[in-house]
Every structure is written in structure tokens, then in C-alpha cells.
Amino acid sequence: SGSTDLGIASDMKMFGSYEGFSVCYDTNNNKYIYAVNDRNNDNIYVGAGTYDTSDDSITWPSGKSNWSQPNGTDNDGRIPTVYFDDTTNRIVCLLRDTTNSNYPYVVIGTYNSSSGNIDWGTKQQLDNAAIQDLNTVICKGGSGTGEVFIGYRTSADLKGNLITVSNSSNTCTIQTSVTIQTYANYFRADYNAQDQNIIFAYADTNDSSKGKLIRLTKNSGGTGFDKSSAYTFCVNDQPSKWDVHYFSTSKKIYVFYRLSSSSTEIKAFMVNNTSGTPAQSTTVGGSGGLNYGNVWIGHTASTNQNLLTDKIFQAVPHSGRSNRVNIEGWSALQASNNIGTST
């Protein structure tokens, strides 16, 4: 079941890339936060949606004039990526500012219950290098209040910043950007709250675009991250066909991926060590032989995980049923070394 009207704003035109939009959930105000690039004027708009349990619908602001603009009115921007920091109850928005040499900027905002909109602070520059589409990621960066990791791709490398979001205003403290991984592409990441580090998946473009994992741990000075050696989890060139999730039930990180273009069944494994180079448990497959086909997997750690049931839901085409879309649920098994699936 669901809303009979899936339209959000009739006066906005979607960007062709799947990263022309981003969604997160404000747990403090129970609002869906949706950021989108409008192809009509190349501006970024952000709206707060209210979920109605009576008919499973979400109500959005009417018309883009009632949506907020984190990059300012008529100030062009691309690839908005939003994240809700539940330690400060503030929204973090990463964007590529096309009016400022395509540099990465971050803007901090809060939901205003009186206006029903989002109040934004002043945008802050992260790096003096142009960033690229299809390669942004935000997740929790440490155990401290407001600590957030922001990652993006420059000409060929993964770079990132540790920021600390203010608990009292729409601003943040930004640590100097650093190169985290050279020759890297197609990033996915999530924070392990139990081990207090980040598991990061990427394609190594200097090694046949194999899928690799590294572990990032906030350094002792709180200025950035210490990086582990890389672990290869996918020997085939399958960029963007993977994702990383933290399950609070098992207090573990799980990696989901497609093995190859000819073996498209969902695979997953648990990262079963707590420090150093990531290591994995036995790989398991999905139920029902569901296939991703040529569908992107990505940026779902904050968008398709049901926090009440601690289960992830992936929409996947079934190659044996004319690519009709099925929903597959994944849940971590407590006190176990792996995960279970359900159709």
C-alpha cells in the first residue's frame, strides 16, 4: 500500500543522475528531509515531508517556492547529499557548488516547526578542489557530539573531512581535508557505533576496479582519520553494486554486493573484526534468487533501514519474473556470525 499521489513538486524537474537527490529522516521532528537539484534552474531545494499513517502518504510543501535553498536563491548546485545528526538534531547538506568552481560545500540546517521549513546556516567550504558526481558519502564520524564524516571524489582520489556540528547554531567546525585513498571511486560507508570506526567500500581504479574495504578510525588528535590496509571483497569490476550497513541488533557492519555481471544474486557478509584491516565472515546469498540486474545499489544506509525492526529492505528486479520488482528484507541475527533474509 502507499500514497495514491507520488508527486512531490510539479514545478521541479529531476536531474538525470540518481544522485540528483537525497533523503534522510529527522528523528527529532519525525520528518522526511528530501534534497533535489531542479534542472529548470540548476538550484538545490530541500523540503520536509510529513508522513500520514492513515493512508501511507507523505505531504510535501506545495510548490518549490515553499522549499528551502541551502545554497542560496539562484545559486547553482549539484549532487545534494543530506544526513541527519541525531546528537545535535541538525541536518548536514553536502553539495557541489557550480558557481564556485565546483568546490564542495557543507551547510547545516534545522527544521523549523513554526514555518514547517528548514533554517540554514551559511555554507562553508570543505576543499579547494572540484568534486565529481556519483561519489559523495556522509556518515557519523566519531562517538563525540556532532562528529560527522564527509567524503567526496576529486580528480581521481577519495578525500574527506571530519566536521563537528554545533549543538547551538547552524554551523560546524571543519578539519582540513585529507586524501584518504588514491585511485578510488564509487564510495559507500557506514559507522560502527560499537567499534567506533567507519567501514568504507570503494572501487580501486588502479586495480581493475575491484571492490575493497578499509577501516577509518578518528585519530587521537581529533583532526582526521587513521586508515587500515585494504581488504578485497569483490575481485570483479562491479562499481556501485555494493552497499555498507550497520545493524544495531548485532552491533556489526554488513556489506552487500553483486558478485559479477553474470552472477547477480544478492550477496552479503559481516565484517567480523573490530580493528585493523577489515575481515569477513562467510558470504551468504539472498532468498528467492533475486537479482539486481543493472540496478544501482547505494546510499541506502540512512534511507531504507527500518530502525524499529533493524531490518534493511532492498527493492530488486527478479530476472525470472520479467524483471518485476520484489522487496527483500535483510536482518542481522543476534548472537550469530551472519544474517538472515526474508522475502
Side-chain angles (χ1 to χ4, degrees), residues 154-196:
T154 55
S155 59
D157 304 329
L158 160 63
K159 299 190 75 174
N161 306 76
L162 175 65
I163 71 169
T164 302
V165 180
S166 171
N167 202 25
S168 58
S169 63
N170 289 330
T171 187
C172 65
T173 301
I174 301 174
Q175 300 297 333
T176 303
S177 65
V178 294
T179 298
I180 294 173
Q181 183 67 42
T182 58
Y183 304 108
N185 208 347
Y186 298 104
F187 315 140
R188 306 291 183 262
D190 206 0
Y191 179 78
N192 186 321
Q194 177 71 14
D195 301 337
Q196 297 182 14

Short mmCIF file of all heavy atoms in Angstrom, two decimals, residues 154-196:
data_model
loop_
_atom_site.label_atom_id
_atom_site.label_comp_id
_atom_site.label_asym_id
_atom_site.label_seq_id
_atom_site.Cartn_x
_atom_site.Cartn_y
_atom_site.Cartn_z
N THR A 154 37.67 13.87 -5.81
CA THR A 154 38.22 14.96 -6.61
C THR A 154 38.58 14.39 -7.98
O THR A 154 37.80 13.63 -8.55
CB THR A 154 39.42 15.61 -5.91
OG1 THR A 154 40.39 14.60 -5.61
CG2 THR A 154 38.99 16.26 -4.61
N SER A 155 39.72 14.70 -8.55
CA SER A 155 40.02 14.23 -9.90
C SER A 155 40.11 12.71 -9.99
O SER A 155 39.65 12.11 -10.96
CB SER A 155 41.33 14.86 -10.39
OG SER A 155 42.40 14.54 -9.51
N ALA A 156 40.71 12.08 -8.98
CA ALA A 156 40.82 10.62 -9.01
C ALA A 156 40.83 10.00 -7.63
O ALA A 156 40.86 8.78 -7.52
CB ALA A 156 42.10 10.23 -9.75
N ASP A 157 40.80 10.82 -6.60
CA ASP A 157 41.02 10.32 -5.25
C ASP A 157 39.83 10.57 -4.33
O ASP A 157 39.06 11.50 -4.52
CB ASP A 157 42.26 10.99 -4.65
CG ASP A 157 43.51 10.80 -5.49
OD1 ASP A 157 43.60 9.76 -6.16
OD2 ASP A 157 44.37 11.70 -5.48
N LEU A 158 39.74 9.73 -3.31
CA LEU A 158 38.80 9.94 -2.22
C LEU A 158 39.40 10.91 -1.23
O LEU A 158 40.49 10.69 -0.71
CB LEU A 158 38.48 8.62 -1.53
CG LEU A 158 37.90 8.69 -0.11
CD1 LEU A 158 36.54 9.38 -0.12
CD2 LEU A 158 37.80 7.31 0.51
N LYS A 159 38.70 12.02 -1.00
CA LYS A 159 39.11 12.97 0.03
C LYS A 159 37.98 13.11 1.03
O LYS A 159 36.83 12.72 0.76
CB LYS A 159 39.45 14.32 -0.60
CG LYS A 159 40.60 14.27 -1.59
CD LYS A 159 41.06 15.65 -1.99
CE LYS A 159 41.87 16.33 -0.90
NZ LYS A 159 42.44 17.62 -1.32
N GLY A 160 38.29 13.66 2.19
CA GLY A 160 37.24 13.79 3.19
C GLY A 160 37.62 14.74 4.31
O GLY A 160 38.78 15.14 4.45
N ASN A 161 36.60 15.08 5.09
CA ASN A 161 36.77 15.95 6.25
C ASN A 161 36.05 15.36 7.44
O ASN A 161 34.97 14.76 7.30
CB ASN A 161 36.18 17.34 6.02
CG ASN A 161 36.69 18.03 4.77
OD1 ASN A 161 36.28 17.69 3.67
ND2 ASN A 161 37.56 19.02 4.95
N LEU A 162 36.62 15.54 8.60
CA LEU A 162 35.89 15.33 9.85
C LEU A 162 35.34 16.70 10.26
O LEU A 162 36.10 17.66 10.37
CB LEU A 162 36.81 14.79 10.94
CG LEU A 162 36.18 14.65 12.34
CD1 LEU A 162 35.07 13.63 12.33
CD2 LEU A 162 37.25 14.29 13.37
N ILE A 163 34.04 16.79 10.42
CA ILE A 163 33.45 18.04 10.88
C ILE A 163 32.78 17.80 12.23
O ILE A 163 32.42 16.66 12.57
CB ILE A 163 32.43 18.63 9.88
CG1 ILE A 163 31.14 17.79 9.85
CG2 ILE A 163 33.03 18.76 8.49
CD1 ILE A 163 30.00 18.44 9.08
N THR A 164 32.64 18.87 13.00
CA THR A 164 31.91 18.81 14.26
C THR A 164 30.77 19.80 14.19
O THR A 164 30.99 21.02 14.14
CB THR A 164 32.82 19.13 15.46
OG1 THR A 164 33.92 18.21 15.47
CG2 THR A 164 32.04 18.98 16.76
N VAL A 165 29.56 19.29 14.15
CA VAL A 165 28.37 20.13 14.04
C VAL A 165 28.08 20.77 15.39
O VAL A 165 28.13 20.11 16.44
CB VAL A 165 27.16 19.29 13.58
CG1 VAL A 165 25.91 20.16 13.46
CG2 VAL A 165 27.47 18.62 12.24
N SER A 166 27.78 22.06 15.36
CA SER A 166 27.49 22.79 16.59
C SER A 166 26.19 22.30 17.21
O SER A 166 25.24 21.94 16.51
CB SER A 166 27.38 24.29 16.30
OG SER A 166 26.89 24.99 17.44
N ASN A 167 26.15 22.30 18.52
CA ASN A 167 24.94 21.91 19.25
C ASN A 167 24.03 23.11 19.51
O ASN A 167 22.93 22.95 20.02
CB ASN A 167 25.33 21.26 20.58
CG ASN A 167 24.24 20.39 21.15
OD1 ASN A 167 23.40 19.87 20.43
ND2 ASN A 167 24.25 20.23 22.46
N SER A 168 24.50 24.32 19.13
CA SER A 168 23.73 25.51 19.46
C SER A 168 23.43 26.43 18.28
O SER A 168 22.63 27.35 18.40
CB SER A 168 24.50 26.33 20.52
OG SER A 168 25.79 26.69 20.06
N SER A 169 24.06 26.18 17.13
CA SER A 169 23.83 27.03 15.97
C SER A 169 24.04 26.22 14.69
O SER A 169 24.64 25.14 14.72
CB SER A 169 24.77 28.24 15.98
OG SER A 169 26.11 27.82 15.90
N ASN A 170 23.57 26.76 13.57
CA ASN A 170 23.68 26.06 12.29
C ASN A 170 25.04 26.32 11.65
O ASN A 170 25.18 26.97 10.62
CB ASN A 170 22.55 26.50 11.35
CG ASN A 170 21.20 25.97 11.79
OD1 ASN A 170 21.12 24.90 12.40
ND2 ASN A 170 20.15 26.71 11.51
N THR A 171 26.05 25.77 12.29
CA THR A 171 27.41 25.90 11.80
C THR A 171 28.19 24.65 12.21
O THR A 171 27.68 23.80 12.95
CB THR A 171 28.09 27.17 12.35
OG1 THR A 171 29.36 27.34 11.73
CG2 THR A 171 28.27 27.06 13.85
N CYS A 172 29.42 24.54 11.73
CA CYS A 172 30.25 23.40 12.11
C CYS A 172 31.72 23.80 12.06
O CYS A 172 32.11 24.76 11.38
CB CYS A 172 30.01 22.20 11.18
SG CYS A 172 30.50 22.47 9.46
N THR A 173 32.52 23.06 12.80
CA THR A 173 33.97 23.20 12.75
C THR A 173 34.51 22.18 11.76
O THR A 173 34.14 21.00 11.82
CB THR A 173 34.60 22.97 14.13
OG1 THR A 173 34.06 23.91 15.06
CG2 THR A 173 36.11 23.11 14.07
N ILE A 174 35.35 22.62 10.83
CA ILE A 174 35.82 21.74 9.75
C ILE A 174 37.31 21.49 9.89
O ILE A 174 38.11 22.43 9.94
CB ILE A 174 35.53 22.38 8.38
CG1 ILE A 174 34.02 22.63 8.20
CG2 ILE A 174 36.05 21.49 7.25
CD1 ILE A 174 33.68 23.40 6.93
N GLN A 175 37.68 20.22 9.97
CA GLN A 175 39.10 19.86 9.95
C GLN A 175 39.59 19.88 8.51
O GLN A 175 38.83 19.67 7.56
CB GLN A 175 39.30 18.47 10.56
CG GLN A 175 38.85 18.36 12.01
CD GLN A 175 39.64 19.26 12.95
OE1 GLN A 175 40.79 19.60 12.68
NE2 GLN A 175 39.02 19.66 14.06
N THR A 176 40.87 20.12 8.31
CA THR A 176 41.45 20.21 6.98
C THR A 176 41.19 18.92 6.20
O THR A 176 41.35 17.81 6.73
CB THR A 176 42.97 20.45 7.08
OG1 THR A 176 43.19 21.65 7.82
CG2 THR A 176 43.58 20.57 5.70
N SER A 177 40.80 19.06 4.94
CA SER A 177 40.54 17.90 4.11
C SER A 177 41.83 17.10 3.88
O SER A 177 42.93 17.67 3.79
CB SER A 177 39.95 18.32 2.76
OG SER A 177 40.88 19.08 2.02
N VAL A 178 41.70 15.80 3.77
CA VAL A 178 42.85 14.93 3.55
C VAL A 178 42.50 13.91 2.47
O VAL A 178 41.33 13.57 2.25
CB VAL A 178 43.25 14.17 4.84
CG1 VAL A 178 43.76 15.13 5.88
CG2 VAL A 178 42.08 13.35 5.38
N THR A 179 43.51 13.43 1.77
CA THR A 179 43.33 12.34 0.82
C THR A 179 43.31 11.04 1.60
O THR A 179 44.30 10.66 2.24
CB THR A 179 44.46 12.32 -0.22
OG1 THR A 179 44.43 13.55 -0.96
CG2 THR A 179 44.28 11.15 -1.18
N ILE A 180 42.19 10.36 1.53
CA ILE A 180 42.03 9.12 2.28
C ILE A 180 42.47 7.92 1.45
O ILE A 180 43.09 6.99 1.96
CB ILE A 180 40.57 8.96 2.73
CG1 ILE A 180 40.23 10.07 3.74
CG2 ILE A 180 40.31 7.59 3.34
CD1 ILE A 180 38.79 10.12 4.13
N GLN A 181 42.14 7.93 0.16
CA GLN A 181 42.50 6.81 -0.69
C GLN A 181 42.71 7.31 -2.11
O GLN A 181 41.85 7.98 -2.67
CB GLN A 181 41.40 5.74 -0.67
CG GLN A 181 41.72 4.50 -1.46
CD GLN A 181 42.87 3.71 -0.86
OE1 GLN A 181 42.97 3.54 0.35
NE2 GLN A 181 43.77 3.24 -1.71
N THR A 182 43.86 7.01 -2.71
CA THR A 182 44.10 7.36 -4.09
C THR A 182 43.46 6.34 -5.03
O THR A 182 43.22 5.19 -4.64
CB THR A 182 45.60 7.44 -4.39
OG1 THR A 182 46.20 6.17 -4.07
CG2 THR A 182 46.27 8.52 -3.55
N TYR A 183 43.15 6.76 -6.24
CA TYR A 183 42.56 5.89 -7.25
C TYR A 183 41.31 5.18 -6.72
O TYR A 183 41.20 3.95 -6.78
CB TYR A 183 43.58 4.86 -7.75
CG TYR A 183 44.84 5.47 -8.28
CD1 TYR A 183 46.03 5.38 -7.55
CD2 TYR A 183 44.85 6.16 -9.48
CE1 TYR A 183 47.21 5.96 -8.03
CE2 TYR A 183 46.02 6.74 -9.97
CZ TYR A 183 47.19 6.65 -9.24
OH TYR A 183 48.33 7.21 -9.71
N ALA A 184 40.41 5.96 -6.19
CA ALA A 184 39.20 5.39 -5.59
C ALA A 184 37.95 5.98 -6.23
O ALA A 184 37.93 7.13 -6.64
CB ALA A 184 39.18 5.64 -4.09
N ASN A 185 36.91 5.15 -6.28
CA ASN A 185 35.68 5.56 -6.93
C ASN A 185 34.52 4.80 -6.29
O ASN A 185 34.71 3.78 -5.64
CB ASN A 185 35.75 5.23 -8.43
CG ASN A 185 34.89 6.15 -9.27
OD1 ASN A 185 34.07 6.88 -8.74
ND2 ASN A 185 35.09 6.12 -10.57
N TYR A 186 33.31 5.29 -6.46
CA TYR A 186 32.07 4.61 -6.04
C TYR A 186 32.10 4.26 -4.55
O TYR A 186 32.27 3.11 -4.16
CB TYR A 186 31.82 3.38 -6.91
CG TYR A 186 31.62 3.74 -8.36
CD1 TYR A 186 32.62 3.53 -9.30
CD2 TYR A 186 30.44 4.35 -8.77
CE1 TYR A 186 32.45 3.90 -10.62
CE2 TYR A 186 30.25 4.71 -10.10
CZ TYR A 186 31.26 4.49 -11.02
OH TYR A 186 31.08 4.86 -12.32
N PHE A 187 31.91 5.26 -3.72
CA PHE A 187 32.07 5.11 -2.28
C PHE A 187 30.76 4.70 -1.60
O PHE A 187 29.69 5.18 -1.95
CB PHE A 187 32.52 6.43 -1.66
CG PHE A 187 33.62 7.13 -2.39
CD1 PHE A 187 33.61 8.50 -2.54
CD2 PHE A 187 34.68 6.41 -2.92
CE1 PHE A 187 34.63 9.15 -3.22
CE2 PHE A 187 35.70 7.03 -3.59
CZ PHE A 187 35.68 8.42 -3.74
N ARG A 188 30.88 3.87 -0.60
CA ARG A 188 29.79 3.54 0.33
C ARG A 188 30.41 3.40 1.71
O ARG A 188 31.52 2.87 1.85
CB ARG A 188 29.08 2.24 -0.06
CG ARG A 188 28.57 2.19 -1.50
CD ARG A 188 27.41 3.14 -1.73
NE ARG A 188 26.91 3.02 -3.10
CZ ARG A 188 27.25 3.82 -4.09
NH1 ARG A 188 28.10 4.81 -3.87
NH2 ARG A 188 26.75 3.66 -5.29
N ALA A 189 29.71 3.83 2.75
CA ALA A 189 30.29 3.76 4.08
C ALA A 189 29.20 3.81 5.14
O ALA A 189 28.10 4.31 4.91
CB ALA A 189 31.27 4.92 4.30
N ASP A 190 29.50 3.28 6.31
CA ASP A 190 28.65 3.45 7.48
C ASP A 190 29.53 3.35 8.72
O ASP A 190 30.63 2.79 8.69
CB ASP A 190 27.53 2.41 7.51
CG ASP A 190 26.31 2.88 8.30
OD1 ASP A 190 26.34 4.02 8.81
OD2 ASP A 190 25.32 2.13 8.38
N TYR A 191 29.00 3.91 9.82
CA TYR A 191 29.75 3.99 11.08
C TYR A 191 29.32 2.87 12.01
O TYR A 191 28.11 2.63 12.21
CB TYR A 191 29.48 5.34 11.73
CG TYR A 191 30.17 5.55 13.06
CD1 TYR A 191 31.52 5.88 13.12
CD2 TYR A 191 29.47 5.44 14.26
CE1 TYR A 191 32.17 6.10 14.33
CE2 TYR A 191 30.10 5.64 15.49
CZ TYR A 191 31.45 5.97 15.52
OH TYR A 191 32.08 6.18 16.72
N ASN A 192 30.29 2.17 12.58
CA ASN A 192 30.02 1.13 13.56
C ASN A 192 30.07 1.75 14.95
O ASN A 192 31.14 2.08 15.46
CB ASN A 192 31.05 0.00 13.45
CG ASN A 192 30.73 -1.18 14.34
OD1 ASN A 192 30.29 -1.01 15.47
ND2 ASN A 192 30.95 -2.38 13.83
N ALA A 193 28.90 1.95 15.54
CA ALA A 193 28.83 2.62 16.84
C ALA A 193 29.45 1.79 17.96
O ALA A 193 29.89 2.33 18.97
CB ALA A 193 27.37 2.94 17.18
N GLN A 194 29.49 0.47 17.78
CA GLN A 194 30.08 -0.40 18.77
C GLN A 194 31.61 -0.29 18.77
O GLN A 194 32.25 -0.15 19.82
CB GLN A 194 29.66 -1.85 18.52
CG GLN A 194 30.28 -2.87 19.47
CD GLN A 194 29.71 -2.79 20.88
OE1 GLN A 194 28.70 -2.16 21.11
NE2 GLN A 194 30.38 -3.45 21.82
N ASP A 195 32.19 -0.35 17.58
CA ASP A 195 33.65 -0.32 17.46
C ASP A 195 34.19 1.10 17.29
O ASP A 195 35.41 1.30 17.31
CB ASP A 195 34.09 -1.17 16.26
CG ASP A 195 33.63 -2.61 16.39
OD1 ASP A 195 33.39 -3.06 17.52
OD2 ASP A 195 33.50 -3.28 15.35
N GLN A 196 33.32 2.06 17.06
CA GLN A 196 33.66 3.47 16.90
C GLN A 196 34.65 3.68 15.74
O GLN A 196 35.68 4.35 15.87
CB GLN A 196 34.22 4.04 18.21
CG GLN A 196 33.21 4.02 19.34
CD GLN A 196 33.74 4.62 20.62
OE1 GLN A 196 34.75 5.29 20.64
NE2 GLN A 196 33.03 4.40 21.72
#
